[in-house]
Amino acid sequence: MISMLGLYRPRRTPMHRAPVWFKMLLLVGISITSVAVSDPVTSIGITAACILLLVSTLPPAKATLKGMAFIILIAAMTTLFQVWRGDYVRALDLAGDLVSIAALALAITSSTSMGAMLDFVSTLARPLRWILPPDSVGVMVALTLRAIPESARILTEARVAARARALEREPRAFLIPAASRSVGFALQLGQALHARGIAESGRALRASRDDAPREAPVMLAEPPVREVETGETPTVRPAGRRERRR
């Protein structure tokens, strides 16, 4: 499943030329239709259309088959369970829904570059710019997509090293090295962000907001007090009409 993140290949197909918002709307619409409609004929038709869209994007065959194999295995297990219960219509419907949504998601992944996807995420985050800058949202999504395959690679290499030492049944033999390497990757990533000034720009923006001039509070003048001689009780002179208007 991790290989799906690198499926994009520059092509000149209709899916490659379509805007990102259209692809996202198509994915949401097909997903809602697949869940709402329980007709197996409609489900099979949507599945065939999604598979044709996936083939039209000319994705890499090995990575695509590897990604779809896991989805087809889940669909087959779901179908067998529904057939065992005696619900054949439900079995076809669920299998078609799983395969169609996965095939359409792969078609979008193979026809959309990472830069275009991050720009789309930043555009969606613009209404929340008063809470979180849109560029920061794009950076977080990019870091997440970068960290997922890296973490999987670190864990796989740790398991292979533990198996080479005949310690595959000892969890500490691969969990501790994987954790230490993950921390090292996070530190290197933080240093790279700091070197590009991403952290400094956020601090400067926060400091400019904190140092912004604030309005001084309005102080009410004290009422005039008449000076009195020693032994007399001081009295407060009430404000006149002009002073009240002020």
Side-chain angles (χ1 to χ4, degrees):
M1 297 295 290
I2 299 301
S3 60
M4 293 182 185
L5 298 175
L7 281 180
Y8 174 72
R9 297 293 185 276
R11 301 281 192 269
R12 299 184 61 85
T13 64
M15 283 293 290
H16 284 78
R17 297 177 181 179
V20 182
W21 62 266
F22 175 77
K23 300 176 187 178
M24 292 295 105
L25 285 179
L26 182 63
L27 180 60
V28 173
I30 292 297
S31 302
I32 294 176
T33 304
S34 300
V35 174
V37 179
S38 300
D39 184 16
V41 178
T42 304
S43 179
I44 293 175
I46 293 175
T47 303
C50 292
I51 292 176
L52 289 177
L53 281 177
L54 176 60
V55 174
S56 68
T57 59
L58 304 176
K62 183 177 179 180
T64 304
L65 293 176
K66 185 177 180 181
M68 287 299 297
F70 182 75
I71 302 299
I72 293 175
L73 178 61
I74 296 178
M77 294 175 62
T78 305
T79 303
L80 291 176
F81 177 74
Q82 295 296 331
V83 169
W84 177 72
R85 294 181 55 188
D87 195 350
Y88 301 97
V89 176
R90 185 65 173 171
L92 292 176
D93 183 46
L94 287 178
D97 293 346
L98 289 174
V99 175
S100 62
I101 295 175
L104 183 57
L106 280 175
I108 295 175
T109 303
S110 61
S111 62
T112 308
S113 64
M114 187 60 63
M117 189 64 69
L118 293 180
D119 292 340
F120 177 72
V121 173
S122 300
T123 303
L124 290 181
R126 285 181 182 176
L128 303 176
R129 60 182 177 273
W130 299 108
I131 303 175
L132 191 64
D135 295 338
S136 300
V137 177
V139 171
M140 287 189 295
V141 174
L143 292 180
T144 302
L145 296 178
R146 177 68 180 89
I148 290 174
E150 186 67 21
S151 301
R153 184 183 66 82
I154 290 174
L155 187 60
T156 302
E157 292 179 355
R159 286 181 176 177
V160 171
R163 189 180 298 110
R165 298 193 301 269
L167 298 174
E168 63 274 7
R169 296 186 178 181
E170 183 67 28
R172 293 179 298 177
F174 64 90
L175 289 180
I176 294 178
S180 60
R181 291 185 59 186
S182 299
V183 172
F185 169 73
L187 292 176
Q188 293 177 0
L189 192 59
Q191 292 175 359
L193 293 176
H194 182 73
R196 288 166 176 80
I198 296 178
E200 297 297 332
S201 61
R203 293 176 182 175
L205 180 60
R206 193 181 302 109
S208 62
R209 291 179 179 177
D210 295 338
D211 297 339
R214 299 179 182 179
E215 297 182 357
V218 179
M219 302 297 294
L220 299 177
E222 298 181 356
V225 180
R226 183 174 59 87
E227 296 182 358
V228 296
E229 299 179 359
T230 307
E232 296 183 3
T233 305
T235 58
V236 179
R237 181 170 60 86
R241 294 183 179 179
R242 295 182 179 178
E243 295 177 355
R244 290 177 182 174
R245 291 177 183 177
R246 293 179 183 176

